[in-house]
């Protein structure tokens, strides 16, 4: 059975591992609807019943694919989270009109009447005043209308996320690449947010490809030293007969709850990968290999990167 934890004070019990649907939008490689259907079916079969998506992923194609994959599935058997505000690599709009239009379009693509968690997407890169003055009030009105149930924010800059989350009393926060083998800055922030009743979701525990045998993609915003030492850690794992991705997943999944992180969101469009990730829940990483990898990564532990406009917008989740 998949371990489950409360998502803040929403009343939603989320699985330790949740399904990130960005890959369904063919953002990394082409994904057919049959492949999307199989991945979603595998997720539900493994107890991964919290799905996170956004209009930005595949420029609406991820939402459409997820909606088709969930068609016919009992609505009460899963929770659905999507986003507003980001519509392209450098396209943010937190106006009230755009927010309402975005939610209405997402409902149609997803084939549902209600969105469980609606999130303002990558808030540090948009107009903060517009976010507070227009977007969040518009979402609260939609909540009163029964169109959305809970309101959250997402992003990378933890100081921005925490400040806005507390001041605006949002229900959830999702951040990415900040609770991994190489970067654990989310832990103390998550504890403070949880103490305020806010549910915390950790996305991209592999650091957007950083902690994989393939290594960081060309567009990765990490500095050269971070990438160099992550590659060295991957080589160490291979030499020991292990896999850095497996180690990174086991670390994030086995320790997240200690830091009041409700769930870890991982994206894949491959049904086999879904099952493999689910099988890692409840299994801690090898302690000796962890110690060796941490020694390699120590010089860049908790080293982040700039995701503000100017980096091409590639870092956003």
């Amino acid at each position: 059975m998949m371990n489950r934890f409360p998502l803040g004070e929403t009343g939603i019990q989320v699985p330790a591992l949740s399904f990130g649907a960005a890959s369904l939008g063919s953002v990394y490689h082409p994904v057919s609807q049959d492949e999307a259907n199989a991945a979603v079916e595998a997720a539900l079969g493994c107890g991964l019943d919290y799905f996170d998506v956004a209009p930005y992923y595949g420029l609406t194609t991820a939402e459409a694919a997820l909606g088709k994959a969930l068609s016919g599935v009992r609505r009460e058997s899963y929770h659905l989270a999507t986003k507003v505000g980001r519509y392209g690599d450098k396209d943010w709009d937190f106006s009230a009109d755009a927010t309402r239009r975005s939610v209405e379009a997402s409902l149609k693509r997803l084939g549902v009447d209600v969105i469980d968690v609606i999130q303002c997407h990558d808030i540090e890169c948009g107009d903060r005043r517009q976010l507070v003055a227009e977007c969040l009030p518009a979402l609260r009105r939609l909540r009163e209308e029964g169109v959305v149930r809970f309101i959250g924010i997402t992003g990378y800059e933890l100081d921005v996320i925490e400040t806005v989350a507390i001041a605006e009393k949002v229900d959830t926060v999702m951040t990415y690449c900040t609770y991994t083998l190489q970067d654990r800055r989310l832990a103390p922030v998550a504890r403070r947010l949880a103490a305020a009743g806010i549910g915390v979701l950790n996305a991209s525990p592999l650091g957007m490809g950083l902690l994989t045998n393939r290594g960081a993609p060309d567009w990765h915003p990490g500095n050269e030293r971070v990438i160099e030492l992550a590659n060295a850690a991957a080589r160490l794992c291979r030499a020991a007969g292990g896999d850095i991705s497996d180690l990174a997943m086991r670390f994030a999944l086995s320790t997240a709850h200690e830091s009041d992180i409700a769930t870890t969101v991982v994206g894949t469009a491959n049904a086999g990968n879904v099952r493999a990730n689910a099988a890692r829940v409840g299994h801690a990483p090898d302690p000796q290999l962890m110690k060796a990898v941490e020694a390699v990564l120590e010089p860049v532990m908790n080293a982040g990167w700039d995701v503000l406009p100017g980096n091409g917008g590639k870092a956003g989740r």
Side-chain angles (χ1 to χ4, degrees):
M1 295 291 291
M2 179 68 62
N3 296 331
R4 308 188 75 83
F5 304 100
L7 182 62
E9 297 178 351
T10 64
I12 296 174
Q13 293 286 323
V14 290
L17 174 66
S18 293
F19 188 96
S23 297
L24 303 188
S26 299
V27 296
Y28 304 114
H29 55 78
V31 173
S32 69
Q33 187 62 49
D34 284 345
E35 289 172 310
N37 294 346
V40 169
E41 183 179 5
L44 290 168
C46 293
L48 280 62
D49 55 11
Y50 187 95
F51 295 87
D52 179 84
V53 70
Y56 169 58
Y57 302 154
L59 303 181
T60 74
T61 59
E63 278 191 332
L66 179 60
K68 290 176 183 176
L70 287 169
S71 177
V73 178
R74 290 185 303 108
R75 181 63 181 90
E76 63 271 21
S77 68
Y78 64 89
H79 291 102
L80 193 58
T82 190
K83 305 178 183 75
V84 297
R86 186 174 190 182
Y87 308 106
D89 280 352
K90 298 182 180 180
D91 182 10
W92 279 265
D93 187 345
F94 287 126
S95 67
D97 287 344
T99 297
R100 181 171 284 272
R101 289 196 307 269
S102 182
V103 171
E104 291 172 351
S106 290
L107 288 167
K108 291 178 181 178
R109 284 189 291 267
L110 292 165
V112 297
D113 297 322
V114 178
I115 294 167
D116 295 300
V117 181
I118 190 73
Q119 304 156 104
C120 307
H121 200 171
D122 290 342
I123 65 167
E124 65 267 61
C125 297
D127 185 326
R128 195 91 48 82
R129 288 172 295 182
Q130 189 180 57
L131 169 76
V132 172
E134 296 191 45
C135 182
L136 288 170
L139 293 179
R140 293 181 187 117
R141 286 192 291 273
L142 288 168
R143 181 173 57 190
E144 292 170 358
E145 295 169 18
V147 176
V148 302
R149 296 179 62 207
F150 302 103
I151 298 169
I153 58 176
T154 82
Y156 178 80
E157 298 287 347
L158 293 175
D159 56 341
V160 175
I161 290 291
E162 184 175 9
T163 298
V164 173
I166 298 295
E168 297 300 319
K169 298 180 174 62
V170 301
D171 300 302
T172 69
V173 157
M174 185 169 77
T175 184
Y176 60 96
C177 298
T178 55
Y179 192 74
T180 72
L181 279 177
Q182 178 267 324
D183 189 343
R184 305 172 195 182
R185 290 173 297 137
L186 176 58
V189 177
R191 293 188 187 102
R192 293 193 294 269
L193 290 171
I198 297 169
V200 181
L201 305 94
N202 172 46
S204 200
L206 301 185
M208 297 190 302
L210 179 72
L211 300 168
T212 64
N213 282 327
R214 182 179 298 177
D218 292 341
W219 51 260
H220 200 282
N223 65 51
E224 291 182 4
R225 185 63 171 157
V226 169
I227 293 171
E228 174 191 353
L229 292 184
N231 290 341
R235 290 193 298 271
L236 184 153
C237 286
R238 288 196 300 272
D243 183 318
I244 193 168
S245 297
D246 178 72
L247 191 77
M249 284 291 298
R250 289 173 184 265
F251 164 76
L253 291 168
S254 64
T255 63
H257 192 56
E258 298 171 6
S259 298
D260 289 326
I261 295 168
T263 186
T264 299
V265 181
V266 177
T268 179
N270 181 282
N273 289 342
V274 171
R275 297 186 186 97
N277 287 336
R280 293 182 173 107
V281 175
H283 298 281
D286 177 84
Q288 290 185 325
L289 188 56
M290 269 292 296
K291 185 175 181 180
V293 165
E294 287 175 329
V296 172
L297 295 175
E298 195 279 331
V300 293
M301 189 63 71
N302 296 332
W305 46 73
D306 179 24
V307 299
L308 296 177
N311 72 342
K314 295 292 186 181
R317 281 281 310 167

